[in-house]
Structures are given as C-alpha cells and as structure tokens.
Amino acid sequence: MKRKLLGVIDATTYHDDLEDLLTHRSLAALPFAGRYRIIDFVLSNMVNSGIRSVAIFPKMMYRSLMDHLGSGKNWDLNRKRDGLFFFPTPAVDSDSNKIGSFENFAANLDFFYRSSQEYSIITNCYTILNMDFKPLLDWHIHSGCDITEIHHENGTPMEMYLVKTSLLIKLIETRNETGYTCMKDVVLDPDHQHSICRYEYSGYAVMIDSIQKYYSTSLNLLNSDVWNQLFIKEQPILTKVKDEPPTRYLKGSTVQNAMIANGCLINGTVENSIISRGVKIGKGAVIKNCIIMQKCVIEDNCYLDSVILDKDVKVEEGTILTGTSRDPFVVRKGTKQGALMNT
C-alpha cells in the first residue's frame, strides 16, 4: 500500500457563503472541533490508509494552512522520500476552481511523472469524514475500473476520485484536445472512453460549503454517536500539536454538554458549545449553542447564543449577541464587539 497510492488534495475551493470565515485563511485551514482544521480529516484519512506521499494544491491565503501543516511532522510526512508537498497554483481562470483542475496539475506535471505510486486519489479539502481508503483501492482494482468516483450512500457525489496515475497524467496532457478541465468533466461526459465506476461510502460524511453547514456539523459533534464515527482510536484524526496547560474552571463556573480545548479560563456558564484553545470567559457570562475559536476573550456578564466567534475576537462586558440555528451570528477574526453593538 505504501507504494501504491498517491494522495492529492485540492485546496483551491472558495465558497461564497463562508466568506465571513475565509477573509484571512483558505477553506482548508478553517478551524473545526476546537483543535483541528478542516483539512486534518481527509489528510489523516490518507495517512491512516498507508499513503506516504501527499500533494496539496492551495490557491490563495494559504499562509495559515502552511503554518498549520509545516513539514508534515504531525502526520508522519516529513520524509526523505515522498512526504508532504505544496504546489500553490497561479491559475486564475474559472476552471481552476473545479476540484482536481487539470490546469493546476499541469503546472506541476513533473511531480506526477516522478511519483512511484501506481494509483492516485484526488479529494477536496472540506469533507468531514473518517474513511479508510484501502478497501476502496482493493475494490477499484478488482472491479477493473479506470476511474472510481466516491459517492455517499445517499447518492451525493463526494468530489473524490481514484484513478491510475498514468491515466491521470494522460488526462492532464490531453486536456486541450479533449476539453476536459477536471475529473468531474470526464465522469459526466456521456461519450467518454473510460470505465467509470461508483463507490458508495456508508460512513458519516459532511461537506462544509456554507456557514449553516459549518455551524450544524460542528455542534453535531456534541452528539456521542457522531463523535464516535469520526474519532476512532484505530484511525486517529491528526493535527498540529500545541503544548498548552489544562483549562482552568474557576469557582462558580458551570459547563454542560460542551467541548472545551486546552488553555482556557472558564469563569461563566457554557452550554452546548465548542470552545477552542486559549479562550477566556468572564464571570457571569453565558455561552449557549456557540462556536468560539482560539484566543477569544468574552468579558463579564455577556450573553451569547447561536454565535460563531472567529479567532482573537474580544466581546466587551455586558454585550448580548444572538443568532439562530439556521442563521448563526458570525463575528470576524480580530474584531471587537461592544455593548452598544448588541443585536
């Protein structure tokens, strides 16, 4: 397996409905579940499946992504042979926004030429799942397929494709003659000359393409059934290691059905919420149904319900912020919310 499958993650996608959370980062680097980034899931799936060479194709605002992944050490991808590769794409045409854009791959065709892996799996960066790709590869080989498209059991295409590396190179090289701009074009062409199969994945999987989907998927992690499908001991979701002290819960604080990361200071009430690293919650503050990202400060006597705070937000004393489950109130990174700005 180590020499058979090459991992390719397309991190060029930008969803307009996530704009408030993507002003300073790429979608792949969006924080999730208190201590992870969205790309951690598909990347960990690859590593847990024995893949030892992974290429990531980011497009814009990828400093945060590169800082998070670094050399790939936390995923055991800092290697002398194979390992983790970044290929920022200069393409600006609309086709470059498609998952697995051949134009983006063409700019780094030498990488595919040099790869020793016989097969390649091409994925998006924003699907939350815990999938073992080994059974998929076995199924693909035994089925004699040229291209396998992964679908969820509900019929939704997951924007993930398995293909022989040699065929992928051919598709890239002949893109101008065939008119194919990405893998999806090949799959949807009724006149294609390839054997295309559909593989149904029955596990938990959600594609994060909107604020509402991000919010609901995040809070669903508080359901133990969902948590147990994503965080499996034998297939861990890996992330950047940060050495931080345990969270402190001061006298009078209360926490119910919440996920709280390290390094926090809790002096208020937290219910049904996800709190990231280094967050400070003041005395008398009430946090309900919220997603609070890293190093936010919520001062005394604030009330937040159905709110997403991006990183480094300060909520001043006595502030009230409310949204709904369908339309959570989003506060952009590094901003300040005061009592006079109540909603």
Side-chain angles (χ1 to χ4, degrees):
M1 181 67 186
K2 291 181 180 179
R3 306 288 293 180
K4 282 188 175 180
L5 196 53
L6 174 69
V8 180
I9 301 177
D10 188 317
T12 63
T13 306
Y14 180 91
H15 292 304
D16 291 336
D17 198 50
L18 282 162
E19 179 182 1
D20 285 337
L21 298 177
L22 302 182
T23 55
H24 299 283
R25 62 171 73 90
S26 66
L27 176 55
L30 182 61
F32 186 80
R35 59 190 295 263
Y36 300 93
R37 303 296 180 109
I38 282 183
I39 197 174
D40 289 342
F41 289 81
V42 69
L43 180 58
S44 297
N45 292 176
M46 290 182 175
V47 171
N48 292 333
S49 300
I51 296 174
R52 295 295 177 259
S53 183
V54 179
I56 298 177
F57 289 80
K59 183 177 180 181
M60 54 188 175
M61 294 182 293
Y62 48 81
R63 183 205 60 78
S64 178
L65 177 62
M66 295 185 71
D67 176 69
H68 175 69
L69 296 177
S71 65
K73 179 180 179 180
N74 293 295
W75 294 263
D76 194 27
L77 289 174
N78 57 331
R79 296 167 167 269
K80 291 182 178 180
R81 294 184 180 179
D82 295 328
L84 185 67
F85 300 86
F86 281 91
F87 298 112
T89 172
V92 295
D93 60 282
S94 58
D95 287 338
S96 70
N97 293 320
K98 298 178 180 180
I99 297 298
S101 166
F102 294 155
E103 198 64 35
N104 294 345
F105 293 165
N108 300 280
L109 197 52
D110 283 350
F111 169 76
F112 294 98
Y113 285 140
R114 293 196 304 268
S115 298
S116 60
Q117 293 78 13
E118 187 176 0
Y119 297 89
S120 296
I121 182 164
I122 304 167
T123 75
N124 64 68
C125 66
Y126 56 90
T127 299
I128 304 299
L129 80 169
N130 194 328
M131 179 178 180
D132 185 352
F133 294 127
K134 293 192 292 294
L136 167 65
L137 179 58
D138 291 339
W139 184 91
H140 175 84
I141 294 172
H142 293 151
S143 300
C145 306
D146 293 327
I147 300 172
T148 293
E149 182 183 30
I150 305 174
H151 284 235
H152 196 255
E153 61 180 354
N154 62 14
T156 304
M158 293 173 59
E159 297 181 333
M160 298 182 181
Y161 307 90
L162 182 60
V163 59
K164 261 196 172 182
T165 305
S166 58
L167 176 55
L168 176 59
I169 291 173
K170 181 179 178 181
L171 290 170
I172 297 169
E173 291 177 331
T174 61
R175 66 192 184 283
N176 293 327
E177 290 78 24
T178 62
Y180 295 146
T181 63
C182 63
M183 294 301 300
K184 186 175 182 179
D185 287 351
V186 184
V187 171
L188 294 180
D189 181 7
D191 300 320
H192 64 73
Q193 303 299 312
H194 307 287
S195 171
I196 297 178
C197 304
R198 175 186 294 188
Y199 180 90
E200 289 196 355
Y201 174 66
S202 59
Y204 182 88
V206 180
M207 299 170 72
I208 304 297
D209 55 9
S210 67
I211 289 287
Q212 199 283 326
K213 188 70 70 66
Y214 174 79
Y215 177 78
S216 62
T217 304
S218 295
L219 292 189
N220 278 344
L221 295 177
L222 299 175
N223 181 324
S224 60
D225 290 338
V226 173
W227 176 270
N228 290 332
Q229 290 184 68
L230 282 177
F231 296 94
I232 303 169
K233 183 178 180 180
E234 295 77 17
Q235 298 170 204
I237 303 300
L238 307 168
T239 191
K240 182 178 181 178
V241 175
K242 293 186 177 181
D243 297 321
E244 292 176 307
T247 288
R248 290 180 59 199
Y249 299 90
L250 301 183
K251 185 177 181 180
S253 63
T254 60
V255 176
Q256 294 182 351
N257 193 37
M259 185 189 307
I260 299 180
N262 292 348
C264 297
L265 182 66
I266 310 296
N267 197 18
T269 298
V270 180
E271 296 180 9
N272 197 46
S273 297
I274 295 178
I275 312 297
S276 298
R277 295 171 168 131
V279 171
K280 296 181 180 179
I281 299 176
K283 187 175 182 180
V286 177
I287 312 299
K288 294 183 177 180
N289 311 307
C290 292
I291 301 169
I292 312 298
M293 296 189 197
Q294 190 173 347
K295 295 183 179 179
C296 287
V297 176
I298 302 169
E299 295 186 342
D300 297 349
N301 302 314
C302 293
Y303 182 88
L304 278 64
D305 189 353
S306 303
V307 172
I308 301 174
L309 298 187
D310 205 336
K311 293 175 63 175
D312 300 315
V313 168
K314 181 177 181 181
V315 182
E316 296 182 332
E317 183 174 355
T319 300
I320 299 173
L321 302 175
T322 59
T324 67
S325 59
R326 291 184 175 274
D327 187 21
F329 187 91
V330 181
V331 182
R332 291 192 175 193
K333 179 181 177 182
T335 57
K336 181 184 295 185
Q337 290 287 310
L340 295 179
M341 307 165 73
N342 290 356
T343 59

